[in-house]
Amino acid sequence: MTDQPSEGPSQPAGEPADFTRVRRLPELQSTDVADLHDVLDSALVAHVGLVMDGRPFVLPMAYARDGDRVLLHGSTGSRLFLALRDGAEVCFSVTVLDGLVLARSAFESSMGYRSAMVFGSCVPVEGEARLRAFERLTERLLPGRWADVRQPNAKELAATAMLELPLSSWSVKISSDDPADSPEDLHTDYWAGTVPLLRMWGEPVPAEDLKAGVPIPDYIAKWRHGGA
Amino acid sequence: MTDQPSEGPSQPAGEPADFTRVRRLPELQSTDVADLHDVLDSALVAHVGLVMDGRPFVLPMAYARDGDRVLLHGSTGSRLFLALRDGAEVCFSVTVLDGLVLARSAFESSMGYRSAMVFGSCVPVEGEARLRAFERLTERLLPGRWADVRQPNAKELAATAMLELPLSSWSVKISSDDPADSPEDLHTDYWAGTVPLLRMWGEPVPAEDLKAGVPIPDYIAKWRHGGA
């Protein structure tokens, strides 16, 4: 299969450093910041790469885009999270798999996907801005919930490290095309096309210890399908 | 939110190196290889971290588990893929988001997820084994397709670098519990529970240049829901 999401990073907008220059399938690249926002707003979990003791680590992390930054949070009990807090260089990667692309040849079969990489270092969110960041994260992951949840107290805020990563150096690739079969394969009788991958929220499941009579909140029914 | 997938790697099975020791939420760890296989078999895209010129990179890649290894493929035109082929140390990360966990407090709200990290270096698949690896990848991503597709010719095989990563050093974390609210929050009237995230395949969309009369293959209807 060709044209899977592994083809490497693209030219970031705003920072044409050589290490992110497009080398593979540059025609899939987008430099439109609206596409970056679309990818980041279509998933809930990012894979954050960093180097520690010379080794690569990739952490799955919940995140929220907030304007031209992404917000991340974690526990100060996590060594890797502390490295993020202390400014380790990161590759923040989000991939949305939209479907499978069946070409007549195994070689040309591929995936429909949208992927983003953001390069840079995180900065701690401090002071009054922390509660606002907590709100933004909660509302992004659980829309409508902030007004219907016990908000964090001072102790909980202190136990949560909140980080922001600016969206200044990034690359986006979008692959949404039909299969690209060789001309000599077009006459074959193999089916060709795409099979979309759909995501949706299932029926809410109440906690076993839920107080009797508390109904499922209305806002959950308005959630968009989630990403991975 | 606590207990998101960012809590760091767990103790790998078979290689208790210090850099992967559980530090956060060790109770979520599994050392059962069946759980590792379950996570790897529940998604189609991995995020592969490596270090290049001292910087972290995270590549989304299609993959297939094949027994006690994962198979990866890519183009020799990709610099990052060449680094993988040449044995760069990797952190191979797969995360399946199963749902959102709504606690009465924002602080205890979290995610249901299954995540795996595999540490090691890739080795090229050579010779006769390459076609078999191509088949395994195709069948894993597109079950039933290998017998109904033009299989790769010698030129296509030569253009595809096929790699394997042994499942020898790994960690798995599974979070599937109810919200863990503080006792003093249990009496509140906030709803608590989980909202599952479902994935399913949509209706196949024929390619615009599909030969008239070629039906949608039956095997697509048997595909399990996919992961990202």
Side-chain angles (χ1 to χ4, degrees):
Chain A
M1 312 228 313
T2 57
D3 187 20
Q4 51 161 330
S6 70
E7 307 293 357
S10 306
Q11 178 85 31
E15 185 181 306
D18 178 70
F19 73 95
T20 52
R21 187 162 64 82
V22 176
R23 300 185 189 232
R24 284 289 302 162
L25 302 177
E27 69 276 15
L28 300 181
Q29 183 194 6
S30 168
T31 56
D32 185 344
V33 71
D35 286 332
L36 172 67
H37 291 177
D38 168 71
V39 176
L40 297 179
D41 295 349
S42 297
L44 302 176
V45 173
H47 285 81
V48 183
L50 72 160
V51 183
M52 182 170 253
D53 302 331
R55 296 173 181 275
F57 287 92
V58 179
L59 296 178
M61 299 185 76
Y63 71 95
R65 183 178 72 85
D66 183 36
D68 58 358
R69 63 178 183 168
V70 290
L71 295 168
L72 297 165
H73 72 321
S75 163
T76 51
S78 159
R79 197 172 40 123
L80 289 161
F81 191 82
L82 286 179
L84 294 183
R85 185 201 63 183
D86 293 343
E89 190 167 356
V90 302
C91 176
F92 175 96
S93 181
V94 171
T95 307
V96 183
L97 178 60
D98 289 320
L100 298 173
V101 181
L102 284 69
R104 284 89 170 172
S105 68
F107 183 76
E108 291 292 354
S109 298
S110 64
M111 288 178 161
Y113 64 90
R114 291 167 285 155
S115 71
M117 288 189 196
V118 181
F119 302 92
S121 295
C122 295
V123 177
V125 178
E126 309 277 17
E128 298 289 312
R130 294 161 51 77
L131 185 62
R132 155 103 179 82
F134 216 121
E135 175 183 355
R136 174 65 189 159
L137 260 169
T138 304
E139 275 296 295
R140 165 74 183 102
L141 299 171
L142 309 169
R145 185 69 171 169
W146 187 250
D148 185 41
V149 76
R150 182 175 65 69
Q151 296 181 7
N153 57 35
K155 185 178 168 191
E156 290 168 343
L157 276 177
T160 306
M162 192 70 72
L163 306 180
E164 66 176 40
L165 174 67
L167 300 178
S168 52
S169 178
W170 51 269
S171 74
V172 168
K173 276 187 160 178
I174 299 173
S175 179
S176 57
D177 289 343
D178 258 7
D181 280 294
S182 306
E184 58 267 34
D185 286 330
L186 292 179
H187 68 87
T188 60
D189 288 333
Y190 299 120
W191 188 82
T194 56
V195 181
L197 177 60
L198 311 177
R199 294 175 192 82
M200 59 198 70
W201 298 108
E203 199 61 34
V205 180
E208 284 194 14
D209 57 7
L210 183 64
K211 193 170 163 180
V214 177
I216 295 171
D218 291 338
Y219 48 81
I220 294 178
K222 296 179 194 152
W223 289 359
R224 296 188 311 158
H225 67 79
Chain B
M1 314 226 312
T2 55
D3 187 20
Q4 52 161 330
S6 70
E7 306 293 357
S10 306
Q11 178 85 30
E15 184 182 305
D18 178 69
F19 72 96
T20 51
R21 188 161 64 83
V22 177
R23 299 185 190 234
R24 283 290 303 162
L25 303 177
E27 68 278 14
L28 299 181
Q29 182 194 8
S30 167
T31 56
D32 185 344
V33 72
D35 286 333
L36 173 68
H37 292 178
D38 168 70
V39 175
L40 297 180
D41 295 347
S42 297
L44 301 176
V45 173
H47 285 80
V48 184
L50 72 161
V51 182
M52 180 170 255
D53 302 331
R55 295 173 181 275
F57 286 93
V58 179
L59 296 178
M61 300 185 76
Y63 72 94
R65 183 178 71 84
D66 183 35
D68 58 358
R69 62 179 184 168
V70 289
L71 295 168
L72 297 165
H73 71 321
S75 163
T76 52
S78 159
R79 196 172 39 123
L80 288 162
F81 191 81
L82 287 179
L84 294 184
R85 185 201 62 182
D86 294 343
E89 190 169 355
V90 302
C91 175
F92 175 97
S93 181
V94 171
T95 308
V96 182
L97 179 59
D98 289 320
L100 298 173
V101 181
L102 283 69
R104 284 89 170 171
S105 68
F107 182 76
E108 291 292 353
S109 298
S110 65
M111 288 178 161
Y113 64 89
R114 290 167 285 155
S115 71
M117 288 188 196
V118 181
F119 302 93
S121 295
C122 295
V123 177
V125 178
E126 309 277 17
E128 298 288 314
R130 293 162 52 76
L131 186 62
R132 156 103 178 81
F134 216 121
E135 174 182 354
R136 174 66 188 158
L137 260 169
T138 304
E139 276 296 295
R140 165 73 182 103
L141 299 170
L142 310 168
R145 186 69 171 168
W146 187 250
D148 185 40
V149 76
R150 183 175 67 66
Q151 296 180 7
N153 58 35
K155 185 179 168 191
E156 290 168 344
L157 276 177
T160 306
M162 192 71 71
L163 306 180
E164 66 176 39
L165 175 66
L167 300 179
S168 51
S169 178
W170 50 268
S171 74
V172 168
K173 275 186 161 179
I174 299 173
S175 178
S176 58
D177 290 341
D178 257 7
D181 279 296
S182 305
E184 59 266 35
D185 286 329
L186 291 179
H187 68 88
T188 60
D189 288 333
Y190 300 121
W191 188 83
T194 57
V195 181
L197 177 60
L198 311 178
R199 294 174 191 82
M200 59 199 71
W201 299 107
E203 199 60 34
V205 181
E208 285 193 14
D209 57 6
L210 182 64
K211 194 171 164 180
V214 176
I216 295 171
D218 291 338
Y219 48 82
I220 294 178
K222 296 179 194 152
W223 289 358
R224 296 189 312 158
H225 67 80

